[in-house]
Amino acid sequence: QVHLVESGGGSVQAGGSLRLSCAASGDTRSRNYMGWFRQAPGKEREGVAVISRYSGSTYYTDSVKGRFAISQDNAKNTVYLQMNSLKPEDTAMYYCAAARWVTGAAWLTSSQYNYWGQGTQVTVSS
């Protein structure tokens, strides 16, 4: 079993920055891949960024490349999402998720992830 707790959300103006944190506990084998997803009202959940726990490899959705950075501190069992140059379209509930394995090019596919946090709200005003 894996437990995930997000923090760091808030309200910022466009161009601002936020850093989200995801504190993980439980079976480390079930969180080989840690990801951030987001869901805006009326929209489907979208994969934002993923990191491999062991290799450190990362993957981003195109809309956040160059603005967001995912990182991890394995000693603290924490994954971070640094979000810079925020835009109003980044407004959403952000969720942390964990998976044991992710297949092929499906790193950002939410159905690959078994464990989810409760979410943290990010609001960007223009």
Side-chain angles (χ1 to χ4, degrees):
Q1 192 74 341
V2 173
H3 187 54
L4 304 172
V5 179
E6 303 98 332
S7 60
S11 297
V12 295
Q13 291 191 327
S17 298
L18 283 173
R19 188 176 81 154
L20 306 183
S21 298
C22 174
S25 60
D27 184 13
T28 57
R29 296 169 299 178
S30 295
R31 36 190 176 99
N32 289 328
Y33 296 86
M34 297 290 294
W36 287 97
F37 293 76
R38 64 186 180 187
Q39 188 166 19
K43 295 188 176 181
E44 292 187 355
R45 190 166 295 189
E46 172 191 29
V48 176
V50 175
I51 188 165
S52 166
R53 176 179 171 84
Y54 291 106
S55 72
S57 298
T58 59
Y59 195 80
Y60 298 90
T61 192
D62 287 345
S63 63
V64 307
K65 286 180 181 177
R67 300 189 299 123
F68 290 12
I70 188 170
S71 62
Q72 61 187 354
D73 184 335
N74 287 339
K76 295 182 178 179
N77 290 311
T78 302
V79 174
Y80 304 97
L81 185 67
Q82 178 66 44
M83 305 186 295
N84 299 325
S85 302
L86 282 161
K87 304 175 181 180
E89 51 263 44
D90 295 317
T91 295
M93 184 72 79
Y94 281 71
Y95 298 91
C96 178
R100 180 184 292 263
W101 300 114
V102 177
T103 59
W107 283 42
L108 292 176
T109 303
S110 60
S111 60
Q112 300 276 331
Y113 293 79
N114 309 105
Y115 300 98
W116 294 84
Q118 82 289 351
T120 185
Q121 178 68 38
V122 171
T123 303
V124 185
S125 58
S126 58

